[in-house]
Amino acid sequence: MMPVYTYSLSTGEYGNFNLLVQTANLLMPVITVGMSQAIIRFGVDRGYKRSDVFSTSFYATALAFLGLLCFSPLLGMLGFIGNYLWLLILYILMSCFRQICSQFTRAKGATKLFALDGMISTFTNCLFTIVFLLGFHMGVTGALLAVILSDFLSIVFLFWAASLYKYLRLRGISPITQLGMLKFALPLIPTQIFWWIVSVSDQYLVAFMISDSANGIYAAAYKVPTILMVVATIFMDAWQISAVQENNADRARFFSKVFNAYQTIMLFASACLIPFSKLLTKILTSDAYYESWRYIPFLIIATAFCNLVNFTGSVYMVEKRSVASLVTTIMGAVINCGLNVILIPLWGIQGAAVATFISYFAVFVIRVIHTRQFIHIHFNTLRFSVNVILILAQVLVMIFEVPGWLLYQFGFIALFTFLNFKTLKNNLLTMVRKRRA
């Protein structure tokens, strides 16, 4: 949808739309009361009734949303929200309940239905976006309405197709399940808020310290690394369930094996994506956004480490260490905000991208060291460090457009492939075998 957004919205409008979406993303963990994570952890566990898990999540979200309505006048005082307040509230409502419904559908094992809903939701979102932006020229209002209607249809579809109404009860919900889920979920609220700070605070600071147009450029740059995030999300959807179900005695070996494959693929994908920063920007955006390619390389490696951090976070989820997840995330948020304040005045938009990378890298190192107390993930530290150095060299060569940069890029990729050939080959063979099976 990037060509549609950048063709229909000016850089300032796109920056404003992005801030509205990110504001919704900040509030959603509060409205869902952290239940989007708890519903997976408890929904997969056979020691809890699924009707208790779904009902607890559903009603906790509904009560929190009523609280949001009470404080909505304060939300409306934020300048960039302006006339979009009630659209933003509807956006949050639909997104939260869709999240609860889709996560529970996955937790109860209906993965094909979960995938089908994802495809239908993507199609309806694209359709509504094209109609509202290109057909009716509704601007930011149309972009928000497209997501609202798509999420609403997804909720209706899942309630019918996954028979979610059968799991929704008014009485007889186990207080043990309620207390267990709340104890697990409540620390995740500030965790996800601080995660949001790590991920998004730079966009607010770019808008505040530079301009809305600069934020629009930066937001566009974020879209190419989203390719990595999509692949990682597909993996994490399956991984979280497997991690919970794995036998305790085998967890360290299992986590280590999966992490070694995952980090190699993630870094290799980053190495392959960086050289195409200019081309993808040219294809996906209008000319007004072309300069955004300069910020893509650092955001690609930042996204790769964001995905690695999420993997280490699964250790906390399995061990029910929500507080540890919160503390490490706070560290990342503090690092991110501090670096943004320092680097944006020095390097402009690029400073925000560098700050994002450093903060994710720092949280990754902290979590790898800390999680050894619970599940020791073994990997080749030297090879991993060399891989990261190679990709950072790619980033610098790309950003500074070193003469002959394209040859250097493919040389780096060739060297990365050589150093990681065995792991890449094994991963490829595994995928081929599974496809044949």
Side-chain angles (χ1 to χ4, degrees):
M1 289 291 97
M2 273 298 291
V4 176
Y5 284 128
T6 57
Y7 176 81
S8 305
L9 305 174
S10 67
T11 54
E13 286 176 323
Y14 186 63
N16 193 34
F17 169 65
N18 191 64
L19 288 181
L20 289 167
V21 171
Q22 298 304 342
T23 302
N25 290 339
L26 169 64
L27 293 172
M28 281 192 284
V30 181
I31 305 307
T32 60
V33 202
M35 287 295 168
S36 59
Q37 293 289 325
I39 206 168
I40 291 294
R41 181 62 184 84
F42 287 79
V44 172
D45 195 326
R46 295 181 180 180
Y48 301 92
K49 288 184 179 179
R50 284 175 176 162
S51 56
D52 290 341
V53 173
F54 183 65
S55 298
T56 299
S57 302
F58 192 91
Y59 293 128
T61 301
L63 287 172
F65 180 74
L66 291 177
L68 173 66
L69 290 179
C70 295
F71 289 97
S72 59
L74 294 176
L75 193 62
M77 293 172 66
L78 296 175
F80 64 88
I81 291 179
N83 298 323
Y84 303 114
L85 175 61
W86 291 107
L87 275 176
L88 181 64
I89 288 174
L90 273 177
Y91 182 105
I92 293 169
L93 175 67
M94 295 303 158
S95 294
C96 285
F97 278 105
R98 179 178 183 262
Q99 198 173 84
I100 294 297
C101 292
S102 62
Q103 291 292 73
F104 182 73
T105 300
R106 182 162 67 94
K108 76 188 193 78
T111 51
K112 291 183 179 179
L113 188 58
F114 172 77
L116 177 61
D117 170 67
M119 289 187 286
I120 294 173
S121 180
T122 301
F123 172 77
T124 55
N125 193 349
C126 292
L127 178 63
F128 288 136
T129 299
I130 291 170
V131 170
F132 292 150
L133 292 187
L134 297 183
F136 295 115
H137 305 288
M138 295 175 66
V140 175
T141 298
L144 291 170
L145 273 176
V147 180
I148 292 168
L149 292 175
S150 176
D151 284 348
F152 173 73
L153 291 176
S154 173
I155 294 168
V156 172
F157 171 73
L158 288 174
F159 254 86
W160 168 72
S163 301
L164 297 187
Y165 56 87
K166 294 181 180 179
Y167 297 92
L168 194 60
R169 300 190 308 186
L170 287 171
R171 291 183 291 180
I173 303 171
S174 169
I176 295 175
T177 301
Q178 290 177 321
L179 289 173
M181 291 183 71
L182 286 172
K183 183 179 177 181
F184 177 83
L186 287 177
L188 293 177
I189 298 174
T191 299
Q192 292 182 49
I193 289 173
F194 281 109
W195 237 176
W196 175 91
I197 292 173
V198 175
S199 305
V200 181
S201 62
D202 50 352
Q203 297 181 37
Y204 284 83
L205 288 170
V206 166
F208 176 74
M209 299 173 77
I210 306 178
S211 68
D212 285 339
S213 294
N215 182 49
I217 295 292
Y218 190 52
Y222 251 111
K223 295 305 177 182
V224 171
T226 302
I227 296 170
L228 285 179
M229 190 63 76
V230 169
V231 174
T233 300
I234 295 169
F235 168 83
M236 290 302 295
D237 283 344
W239 164 247
Q240 287 178 336
I241 294 175
S242 299
V244 173
Q245 294 175 335
E246 184 64 22
N247 186 290
N248 286 336
D250 298 327
R251 272 183 180 160
R253 184 175 60 84
F254 180 57
F255 271 63
S256 298
K257 182 180 179 180
V258 176
F259 177 77
N260 276 286
Y262 182 61
Q263 60 94 1
T264 303
I265 292 173
M266 194 54 56
L267 293 178
F268 180 70
S270 300
C272 293
L273 200 55
I274 287 169
F276 295 97
S277 300
K278 288 185 177 182
L279 179 62
L280 289 171
T281 303
K282 194 69 175 177
I283 293 171
L284 296 175
T285 67
S286 66
D287 292 341
Y289 293 81
Y290 181 67
E291 73 167 282
S292 65
W293 76 263
R294 297 182 182 278
Y295 318 114
I296 290 174
F298 261 117
L299 290 177
I300 286 175
I301 190 170
T303 303
F305 271 95
C306 172
N307 295 331
L308 296 182
V309 166
N310 288 337
F311 184 96
T312 57
S314 63
V315 175
Y316 295 132
M317 183 194 72
V318 168
E319 297 293 324
K320 296 182 180 178
R321 303 277 181 168
S322 305
V323 175
S325 179
L326 169 60
V327 172
T328 54
T329 306
I330 291 174
M331 292 178 182
V334 171
I335 294 169
N336 183 261
C337 289
L339 288 175
N340 271 312
V341 172
I342 295 169
L343 297 181
I344 291 176
L346 290 175
W347 299 336
I349 299 174
Q350 195 68 265
V354 174
T356 300
F357 160 65
I358 294 175
S359 58
Y360 279 128
F361 179 80
V363 176
F364 170 74
V365 172
I366 293 167
R367 285 191 171 186
V368 164
I369 295 171
H370 184 248
T371 53
R372 288 177 179 175
Q373 299 177 33
F374 320 117
I375 299 174
H376 192 159
I377 300 175
H378 298 272
F379 64 98
N380 190 320
T381 308
L382 177 60
R383 183 188 299 166
F384 180 83
S385 301
V386 172
N387 288 342
V388 173
I389 291 170
L390 282 174
I391 295 176
L392 283 174
Q394 275 190 274
V395 169
L396 295 175
V397 167
M398 189 74 197
I399 290 173
F400 291 106
E401 297 183 274
V402 174
W405 63 267
L406 191 57
L407 290 176
Y408 281 112
Q409 292 293 332
F410 288 112
F412 285 130
I413 294 172
L415 183 55
F416 186 100
T417 304
F418 174 76
L419 293 174
N420 299 274
F421 180 75
K422 184 177 179 180
T423 305
L424 291 170
K425 183 188 73 173
N426 290 339
N427 289 334
L428 180 61
L429 289 174
T430 299
M431 288 188 289
V432 170
R433 291 193 196 102
K434 287 184 176 180
R435 185 175 179 83
R436 287 177 179 175

